[in-house]
Amino acid sequence: MSLNVDKIRDQFPVLHQEVNGRPLVYFDNAATTQKPQSVIDAISGYYKLDNSNIHRGAHTLADRATRYFEDTRAAVKEFINAREDSEIIFTKGTTESINLVASTYGRKFLTKGDEVLISAMEHHSNIVPWQMLCEEKEAVLKIIPVNDQGEIIYDEFEKLLSEKTKILSVIHVSNALGTINPVREMIQAAKKWGAKVFLDGAQSTSHLTIDVQELDCDFLAFSAHKLYGPTGLGILYGKREVLESMPPYQGGGEMIKEVSFEKTTYNDIPFKFEAGTPNIADVIAFKTALDFIREIGKSNIKNHEDELLRYASSSWSEIKGFIPVGIAKDKISVISFNIREMHPFDVGVMLDATGIAVRTGHHCTQPLMQRFGLEGTVRASFSVYNTKSEIDQMTEAVSKIAKIKNK
Ligand code: PMP
């Protein structure tokens, strides 16, 4: 089915504006997606009608807010096909979800000489928390290398696995290159050695259908703001038995069963990991974002984005001086590139002058950029509301910019 993109675009107020005198072309979707009117309305609707603290009130508003909040948990469970609602924990974002696991599961179960395995294409948020943990525990951080196409070198990955591997934490889809990693096989391989597997799903959940039971990962993290939802809200999925084995992350209200000065007992999952008043409005609004995705259909979104990827890849490869970075066989709709003899930031600023929003720099993947001997790239990332005519505009703009140094 081809999508009615005009109808979809009508739902996104932010897209209908001029930037620097030109219609906005928003190609920075890997950083954050725009929000449909339904999500914006859900946030203000909550404050207008339902605002109340959850889980502990005897009154109608508290009951309603609690129900809506828990409805989102159930919708997230469906979205990733978790076994039960209690396996879904609300956090601030992917970053906090990773930190939560590193500082609870990691602190409890890692000892000297154990190994944590990550890849060379991780986002900083899937490097630094493990690095901090390894330093504290005298454990070892091992890195799976990446080839020139921007793909994990699978043989090298297998060689790095051993009985010392306690955690494999890997990016499902690269934010910098768009590479889709073979995580199903990687999870199975790591499980043979008894390792727990953490998937960074910040980029995959918006493009691919995710089934955590089929994948058999122990953890999955993602951020609502990359899924047409609000900022400041993340998800941590964890298998029940693994979450139950972990100590709490933060102490405070809600995460307890009983408190005395002598001893505190902790609440059941997921509340054990949700201390304090959560981000109620944004959690409630996130269900609307998931409804938006469900109504269009994940596979329809993917087909549309794949078509944009093919179209842009073939148009831009014709441009003299255009150097793609990351040309994996299996990719989502992200194109990272450089223009010969030009700094990526300058390219980004020149594109902005024509109303086109892209991201430039290291994309929070400095080790990956070092692997490619680059300071950074220009990154265009497409979403469900983007069009071929927007790509044509960028083709024209990039061609002009490239000519400055590539006659
Ligand atoms: N991992 C990946 C792959 C990402 O793309 C991002 C966001 N750029 C993050 C982690 C961090 O997500 P957040 O900033 O929402 O916590």
Side-chain angles (χ1 to χ4, degrees), residues 316-324 337-341 402 406:
W316 299 352
S317 63
E318 304 290 315
I319 299 170
K320 200 169 168 200
F322 179 88
I323 309 164
F337 65 93
N338 272 308
I339 301 294
R340 193 176 301 120
E341 300 295 328
N406 296 272

Side-chain angles (χ1 to χ4, degrees), residues 30-32 92-98 121-126 171-176 200-204 221-226 232-234 363-365 379:
T32 197
K92 280 196 311 212
T94 304
T95 305
E96 190 179 45
S97 298
I98 300 169
M121 67 171 91
E122 300 309 321
H123 187 281
H124 294 163
S125 64
N126 200 28
I171 195 164
H172 190 176
V173 165
S174 160
N175 61 308
D200 173 352
Q203 296 294 335
S204 59
F222 56 102
S223 300
H225 70 91
K226 294 182 197 280
L233 172 65
H363 316 295
C364 294
T365 58
R379 183 188 70 189

Side-chain angles (χ1 to χ4, degrees), residues 8-282:
I8 292 171
R9 289 179 71 82
D10 283 347
Q11 298 179 51
F12 288 81
V14 78
L15 297 176
H16 304 281
Q17 63 177 299
E18 292 198 342
V19 168
N20 296 322
R22 302 287 294 274
L24 168 67
V25 172
Y26 186 79
F27 283 163
D28 195 15
N29 295 289
T32 197
T33 55
Q34 298 300 347
K35 321 302 170 202
Q37 188 64 50
S38 57
V39 170
I40 300 166
D41 289 344
I43 297 171
S44 62
Y46 164 75
Y47 286 119
K48 277 185 194 154
L49 293 173
D50 309 315
N51 180 43
S52 186
N53 213 330
I54 54 167
H55 291 145
R56 44 198 120 148
H59 61 83
T60 302
L61 290 195
D63 179 52
R64 208 190 294 153
T66 303
R67 242 178 321 115
Y68 293 163
F69 186 91
E70 291 303 324
D71 282 351
T72 301
R73 205 189 299 275
V76 173
K77 176 213 147 207
E78 290 290 313
F79 183 67
I80 59 169
N81 194 32
R83 266 176 309 178
E84 36 181 306
D85 294 3
S86 50
E87 295 180 318
I88 308 299
I89 295 157
F90 293 117
T91 65
K92 280 196 311 212
T94 304
T95 305
E96 190 179 45
S97 298
I98 300 169
N99 277 280
L100 189 161
V101 173
S103 55
T104 56
Y105 184 89
R107 276 217 182 112
K108 181 166 174 188
F109 292 108
L110 250 70
T111 53
K112 192 174 172 177
D114 284 345
E115 292 176 2
V116 177
L117 191 51
I118 62 172
S119 83
M121 67 171 91
E122 300 309 321
H123 187 281
H124 294 163
S125 64
N126 200 28
I127 301 174
V128 185
W130 302 118
Q131 227 165 17
M132 288 159 67
L133 174 69
C134 287
E135 210 168 296
E136 183 184 318
K137 291 285 172 181
E138 295 183 60
V140 184
L141 191 65
K142 294 255 168 162
I143 314 297
I144 310 160
V146 164
N147 66 20
D148 291 342
Q149 284 71 45
E151 297 161 324
I152 275 175
I153 305 176
Y154 200 85
D155 292 351
E156 296 295 327
F157 158 65
E158 283 186 311
K159 279 188 222 153
L160 285 166
L161 287 170
S162 75
E163 66 283 348
K164 287 190 194 157
T165 316
K166 290 295 173 309
I167 297 169
L168 165 68
S169 189
V170 73
I171 195 164
H172 190 176
V173 165
S174 160
N175 61 308
L177 310 176
T179 311
I180 304 173
N181 286 318
V183 293
R184 186 171 289 114
E185 294 76 7
M186 293 177 81
I187 292 165
Q188 280 169 18
K191 295 252 138 173
K192 284 191 190 134
W193 292 99
K196 292 282 180 273
V197 184
F198 192 112
L199 272 194
D200 173 352
Q203 296 294 335
S204 59
T205 37
S206 49
H207 302 279
L208 311 177
T209 301
I210 308 286
D211 182 332
V212 288
Q213 292 189 65
E214 194 204 338
L215 284 170
D216 200 27
C217 54
D218 297 284
F219 302 102
L220 169 77
F222 56 102
S223 300
H225 70 91
K226 294 182 197 280
L227 282 157
Y228 314 102
T231 54
L233 172 65
I235 309 297
L236 172 66
Y237 156 80
K239 278 186 185 167
R240 168 179 273 282
E241 57 276 18
V242 186
L243 290 176
E244 279 178 340
S245 73
M246 289 158 44
Y249 179 45
Q250 293 181 326
E254 198 64 20
M255 52 75 72
I256 51 89
K257 268 201 177 116
E258 253 175 274
V259 178
S260 73
F261 288 122
E262 290 69 41
K263 184 166 171 59
T264 291
T265 52
Y266 304 129
N267 209 337
D268 296 327
I269 62 163
F271 309 111
K272 181 167 104 176
F273 296 105
E274 292 179 352
T277 301
N279 186 352
I280 304 169
D282 292 327

Side-chain angles (χ1 to χ4, degrees), residues 265-310:
T265 52
Y266 304 129
N267 209 337
D268 296 327
I269 62 163
F271 309 111
K272 181 167 104 176
F273 296 105
E274 292 179 352
T277 301
N279 186 352
I280 304 169
D282 292 327
V283 168
I284 290 175
F286 185 43
K287 172 154 188 309
T288 320
L290 294 175
D291 289 342
F292 167 81
I293 294 169
R294 190 172 32 77
E295 278 157 25
I296 301 175
K298 263 280 181 81
S299 61
N300 293 326
I301 295 176
K302 172 94 168 42
N303 289 342
H304 175 71
E305 292 170 342
D306 283 351
E307 205 174 312
L308 295 177
L309 176 68
R310 276 192 297 275

